[in-house]
Amino acid sequence: MSGEKVKGNMLNVCLYICGFFLLWEWLRPLEQLTDTANLGVFIIFLVVSLVLALLKVNVFLRNGIKLLYVLYTINFLYYEGSFFRLKWLLTIADSLIDNMRAVFQGDWTSLTDDFRSILFFILLGLMAYLLRYWLINRKQIFIFFFMTLLYITVLDTFTPYEAKFAIVRTIIVGFALMGILTFYRILDREKLQMPPGFVKKWLAPFVVMLGVSVIIGYIAPKASPIWPDPVPYIKSYSQDSGEGLTGAKKVGYGENDTNLGGPFLPDDTVVYETEADHRQYWKVETKDVYTGKGWISAEENGERIAFDMDEEFPISSYSDEEMKVDERTAIVRPLAQYPHIIYPLGLKHVENDVGHSYEVDVSLEKIYGAELGNLPGIGQYTVEYESPRFSMSRMTSAVDQNHPLLTEEFMEHYTQLPDSLPERVRDLAIELTQDKENWYDKAKTIEQYFGRVDFQYDQRDVAVPGRNEDYVDQFLFETQKGYCDNFSTSMVVMLRSIGIPARWVKGYTEGDFRGMTDSGQRLYVITNNNAHSWVEVFLPEVGWVPFEPTKGFSNNVQISNDLDNEQTNQQDDVLEAPEAPEVEKPEEKEAPLESPTSTFSWSDLGDKIKQFFQTHWEWMIGSMIVLALISYMIYRKRLKWLPYYLLFRFKKRKKDEDFPVAYVTLLKQLERYGLKRKPEQTLREYARYIDYYFSSGEMSALTSTYEQYVYKGKLQDGSWENTKELWENLIKKTIA
């Protein structure tokens, strides 16, 4: 195969690969937005279709292979028995006849899943054929590229699908495709040939240009949207417009937790900004009574205790007076009109610039502004708190049931469960913890139980318990799919079922890290997407200890492992939030999770790099301009230095295969020097012209050897060694 054909095939492979990735962007949202499962089999079908097209397999053989794959997949997914027992073909034939009858009758709801899959395979086959037609025959892809962008941006705007990186991927792939196709069209229009190394030299600057453009586009400052988000405006026409309407609720903090379950839609409205030197959860309230469907407070209008900014917070979460703590301060800027404040674990003081005082609801541990019960006038406030380092030895100590803090009223309050709770919930908790001796180990075992692969984190496909179903029982034994409310409520109920006092806590995760402030604090932005719920367990020797059962989250609890008198701070594993920004009620959007004891974090590094680029983008653009000017000057002076580079490049080459490359390089150098070959000139005529110009016979000798290579397809042994000196002499003569 000639070099030209090899290069052409390489470019075709690049075209098909880029085309596949562009088509893949159409499939990525399906698992999140539809009931489509086993997406991998459809992606494999696409790959098979494009590979067969690339290899130019006979059309009948090609379609036969694809049909065989479709039949095998349908048998694997929907039918029992071996693929090679052909009786199932009669069943699928009957299914096709029934489904076609339903299609002609317009009864779309009667279509079976296997028939829907077949239709989807047909659609993908047509898409693969059209993609091949656009890429190879028409050599134009802009319309499909534009439609792909339109498709993912519409989904990003009107659905929970997060297309932030999908748009970047599509831009990169689309520009790469259009660049390669433009190259092809220029070759066809100008009837140009591709000499050795031509494609590589054209492709290298194109890849560099594309990469630099993407990097600049990513790191450069971006203006805020000019148009407001149209989704709330459009949804306003359908919200509460009729009776009995049900659907996904909007994510964010809410007071009504009586009926948990069901899907949630994202909301990135910013509600708080915080400045802190430590990442932690932000608490709003606790709930103590589980009803079987959700949570309520034992006292609807409980006792409120007033305190002002000069007084300590009247409620303490700790019973261990010797607990080691880190004194910390954080600044909170409320951006939403809530009548409460958020606060971290270990709160001591709340201060503000206008002297507001506060009230805390004892039953909820929820802090309100004392002035008319709201905080809009307070604005920014500062919280002083003690970040605890829980002692492992005290948490794992045996529990004395006669401990003065474990009063009958306290235990009854925080181990309350409805009589309707299915017994299998308690049986599961007993089975998991039967070999554990203390409350902490039991709680930790149950917390870790939710990390099993059986449990899935999901905000869309979340069930709502029926009239006679228990919320926790449904999650543990039926769906095993949900968001933080499912995980946290289930852990509290399981702990209570074995006599361990626990409560349900609501608030926010730390939010999205946005960089460092001038004061050295870390700036976080908390949106409705960061609303969250977790668990607090009461250990008599310590107090209320936070636990995080939700899959993919960490509450950054610090524990001193002093079991062997070794004071080593250890921290719960920090787990990344799920792949796409997580949205729920309450739930966390994917955000950089930082660890104060961690020495390295990819997310933190990425944020710092992005912040550096955003801070120094003017300097970087200026540097790039200077580099561009320097590169231009170097290019302009190439006749002075390029010959030396070529001599160095071919100095140690000794193989005869290097001669054709060296000869083509010499032709290009002569053209750069100004001795351009005319279109009607043969190589021999051009060689005589060069020899006449330089008063030598070197070019004719080189051309004679090159013609042997062109017409005979091979060179005599030692051709390059015998002609290398002639080649070097001509290169030296082009030094300006």
Side-chain angles (χ1 to χ4, degrees):
M1 182 180 292
S2 68
E4 181 178 335
K5 289 183 178 180
V6 171
K7 298 300 182 183
N9 287 338
M10 289 177 58
L11 281 180
N12 284 343
V13 171
C14 293
L15 283 177
Y16 276 102
I17 291 175
C18 292
F20 165 73
F21 283 117
L22 202 61
L23 193 53
W24 193 4
E25 294 299 338
W26 289 76
L27 301 182
R28 288 177 184 270
L30 295 184
E31 280 189 321
Q32 182 177 347
L33 303 180
T34 71
D35 295 331
T36 305
N38 301 298
L39 198 59
V41 300
F42 300 109
I43 295 174
I44 294 174
F45 177 77
L46 268 182
V47 173
V48 170
S49 300
L50 294 175
V51 169
L52 292 174
L54 174 65
L55 299 177
K56 298 181 180 180
V57 177
N58 178 272
V59 64
F60 295 105
L61 179 59
R62 182 193 318 166
N63 291 328
I65 294 174
K66 290 191 286 186
L67 177 61
L68 190 65
Y69 176 84
V70 171
L71 291 176
Y72 179 81
T73 303
I74 296 298
N75 172 266
F76 175 76
L77 294 178
Y78 300 107
Y79 293 89
E80 296 181 357
S82 172
F83 173 75
F84 298 100
R85 296 181 62 185
L86 301 182
K87 290 183 179 180
W88 70 275
L89 287 176
L90 299 176
T91 306
I92 195 174
D94 292 337
S95 175
L96 288 174
I97 294 172
D98 293 339
N99 280 280
M100 290 302 299
R101 186 181 297 113
V103 169
F104 287 117
Q105 293 174 353
D107 186 9
W108 307 107
T109 58
S110 300
L111 300 182
T112 59
D113 288 339
D114 58 341
F115 184 72
R116 294 172 189 267
S117 295
I118 292 174
L119 293 179
F120 194 43
F121 275 122
I122 294 174
L123 175 63
L124 292 179
L126 291 174
M127 292 299 296
Y129 169 77
L130 288 175
L131 191 63
R132 175 182 176 277
Y133 174 75
W134 288 326
L135 292 176
I136 306 303
N137 293 52
R138 295 296 303 275
K139 293 183 173 57
Q140 292 180 348
I141 200 64
F142 177 76
I143 296 298
F144 185 64
F145 169 47
F146 175 76
M147 293 300 295
T148 305
L149 275 179
L150 186 63
Y151 166 72
I152 60 178
T153 51
V154 168
L155 291 183
D156 180 74
T157 303
F158 294 100
T159 73
Y161 179 64
E162 175 60 56
K164 177 180 178 181
F165 294 105
I167 293 174
V168 176
R169 291 193 302 265
T170 303
I171 289 292
I172 295 173
V173 173
F175 279 18
L177 277 174
M178 290 193 296
I180 296 174
L181 292 175
T182 300
F183 173 72
Y184 264 128
R185 291 198 299 271
I186 292 174
L187 289 179
D188 292 343
R189 185 176 65 245
E190 302 296 335
K191 295 181 173 54
L192 298 175
Q193 301 297 319
M194 289 190 291
F198 181 69
V199 173
K200 186 188 299 183
K201 291 183 179 180
W202 172 85
L203 203 56
F206 172 70
V207 171
V208 172
M209 180 191 71
L210 183 60
V212 170
S213 300
V214 171
I215 293 173
I216 293 176
Y218 179 73
I219 65 177
K222 301 168 184 65
S224 301
I226 299 176
W227 291 350
D229 185 1
V231 177
Y233 176 77
I234 296 173
K235 287 183 176 179
S236 65
Y237 283 96
S238 59
Q239 290 177 349
D240 303 325
S241 58
E243 296 182 0
L245 295 177
T246 60
K249 292 170 281 187
K250 204 171 187 180
V251 68
Y253 169 79
E255 295 184 345
N256 188 350
D257 302 300
T258 55
N259 291 288
L260 299 179
F264 281 90
L265 297 178
D267 181 12
D268 56 3
T269 302
V270 178
V271 288
Y272 296 97
E273 286 184 354
T274 65
E275 295 182 16
D277 61 355
H278 181 74
R279 78 172 190 88
Q280 72 273 310
Y281 283 4
W282 295 88
K283 188 173 179 179
V284 174
E285 62 182 342
T286 67
K287 293 287 179 71
D288 46 17
V289 177
Y290 175 67
T291 64
K293 303 295 182 185
W295 290 94
I296 61 174
S297 176
E299 301 179 33
E300 289 189 7
N301 296 305
E303 176 190 2
R304 292 194 180 188
I305 299 177
F307 68 101
D308 59 35
M309 55 190 296
D310 296 325
E311 297 178 310
E312 282 194 4
F313 183 53
I315 298 177
S316 175
S317 298
Y318 314 138
S319 58
D320 184 1
E321 296 181 355
E322 299 179 358
M323 181 186 298
K324 293 185 177 182
V325 296
D326 296 322
E327 301 287 343
R328 301 183 185 276
T329 301
I331 298 173
V332 181
R333 285 187 287 273
L335 301 176
Q337 300 297 313
Y338 284 129
H340 58 260
I341 72 170
I342 60 174
Y343 60 96
L345 184 68
L347 177 67
K348 300 298 290 183
H349 291 94
V350 183
E351 299 179 358
N352 57 77
D353 296 334
V354 292
H356 276 288
S357 58
Y358 307 92
E359 294 178 344
V360 56
D361 186 315
V362 177
S363 62
L364 297 175
E365 294 195 6
K366 187 174 183 179
I367 302 175
Y368 298 90
E371 288 76 18
L372 302 178
N374 59 59
L375 292 179
I378 285 186
Q380 176 174 301
Y381 59 91
T382 301
V383 290
E384 296 178 1
Y385 60 103
E386 296 175 342
S387 181
R389 300 184 184 182
F390 294 105
S391 167
M392 179 65 77
S393 62
R394 295 183 69 82
M395 287 195 299
T396 56
S397 60
V399 176
D400 181 4
Q401 298 292 343
N402 296 320
H403 194 285
L405 294 177
L406 300 179
T407 63
E408 181 179 351
E409 180 183 1
F410 179 89
M411 292 297 293
E412 181 179 352
H413 186 77
Y414 287 109
T415 58
Q416 170 276 333
L417 289 173
D419 296 335
S420 59
L421 181 72
E423 190 65 28
R424 61 179 179 175
V425 175
R426 182 178 288 105
D427 293 341
L428 175 61
I430 293 174
E431 179 185 350
L432 292 173
T433 61
Q434 58 186 349
D435 60 340
K436 304 301 179 184
E437 298 180 354
N438 57 77
W439 282 3
Y440 174 78
D441 288 340
K442 291 176 184 289
K444 198 66 182 175
T445 299
I446 293 177
E447 179 190 50
Q448 293 172 347
Y449 173 72
F450 293 101
R452 291 163 48 125
V453 295
D454 311 48
F455 291 96
Q456 299 180 31
Y457 182 90
D458 199 315
Q459 307 89 40
R460 296 284 297 175
D461 185 17
V462 182
V464 177
R467 182 186 299 271
N468 298 319
E469 288 183 303
D470 182 88
Y471 176 70
V472 168
D473 181 80
Q474 181 191 59
F475 175 67
L476 288 176
F477 300 102
E478 295 179 19
T479 65
Q480 295 184 318
K481 183 184 293 186
Y483 40 82
C484 64
D485 287 352
N486 299 86
F487 287 88
S488 56
T489 300
S490 297
M491 181 174 176
V492 172
V493 170
M494 291 176 71
L495 288 169
R496 289 185 173 191
S497 70
I498 55 176
I500 299 178
R503 63 187 182 185
W504 191 62
V505 187
K506 290 174 58 180
Y508 298 88
T509 61
E510 71 274 19
D512 297 330
F513 175 72
R514 293 297 173 85
M516 306 299 293
T517 65
D518 294 338
S519 60
Q521 298 276 77
R522 298 172 180 174
L523 176 64
Y524 295 92
V525 171
I526 299 175
T527 70
N528 279 328
N529 292 326
N530 297 118
H532 192 55
S533 63
W534 59 97
V535 178
E536 286 185 353
V537 180
F538 187 79
L539 304 176
E541 300 299 327
V542 179
W544 290 103
V545 180
F547 285 80
E548 178 53 276
T550 304
K551 204 167 189 177
F553 292 84
S554 169
N555 56 13
N556 201 39
V557 170
Q558 296 185 87
I559 298 175
S560 294
N561 186 5
D562 51 1
L563 292 176
D564 298 321
N565 296 323
E566 295 180 1
Q567 300 297 328
T568 22
N569 290 338
Q570 64 180 3
Q571 185 178 344
D572 287 353
D573 293 337
V574 178
L575 303 179
E576 294 280 339
E579 252 176 55
E582 302 304 340
V583 185
E584 54 150 325
K585 188 242 178 211
E587 194 40 75
E588 176 183 60
K589 191 178 178 181
E590 183 174 313
L593 300 183
E594 299 182 302
S595 165
T597 60
S598 174
T599 58
F600 181 79
S601 168
W602 282 109
S603 57
D604 193 17
L605 177 62
D607 286 324
K608 290 180 179 178
I609 293 175
K610 187 173 181 180
Q611 182 187 5
F612 173 80
F613 283 130
Q614 290 178 340
T615 305
H616 303 89
W617 68 274
E618 293 179 347
W619 176 85
M620 293 190 64
I621 290 178
S623 300
M624 292 176 66
I625 293 174
V626 172
L627 288 174
L629 292 174
I630 294 174
S631 300
Y632 175 72
M633 294 301 298
I634 293 174
Y635 176 78
R636 287 291 302 272
K637 300 294 183 180
R638 65 190 183 282
L639 291 179
K640 292 184 178 295
W641 58 266
L642 187 56
Y644 295 104
Y645 165 73
L646 296 176
L647 291 170
F648 173 78
R649 176 183 168 188
F650 287 91
K651 183 177 182 179
K652 295 184 179 180
R653 296 195 178 186
K654 298 180 180 180
K655 296 181 180 179
D656 290 333
E657 291 79 3
D658 294 325
F659 172 77
V661 179
Y663 184 83
V664 173
T665 302
L666 175 61
L667 292 177
K668 292 181 180 180
Q669 178 60 15
L670 290 171
E671 183 176 342
R672 281 191 288 265
Y673 186 70
L675 302 175
K676 188 174 182 180
R677 177 187 169 192
K678 297 179 181 179
E680 67 276 6
Q681 277 184 314
T682 65
L683 282 177
R684 289 190 180 185
E685 292 173 343
Y686 181 64
R688 286 196 294 269
Y689 168 68
I690 298 300
D691 288 338
Y692 173 78
Y693 184 86
F694 289 118
S695 301
S696 71
E698 295 161 334
M699 189 64 182
S700 295
L702 290 171
T703 301
S704 176
T705 305
Y706 184 73
E707 286 179 337
Q708 292 178 20
Y709 165 75
V710 172
Y711 296 118
K712 294 184 179 181
K714 61 180 180 178
L715 292 167
Q716 295 181 357
D717 293 340
S719 296
W720 174 233
E721 285 293 332
N722 295 333
T723 57
K724 186 175 183 179
E725 185 177 353
L726 302 178
W727 180 86
E728 291 178 346
N729 291 338
L730 283 173
I731 291 292
K732 292 175 181 178
K733 291 176 181 179
T734 62
I735 299 175

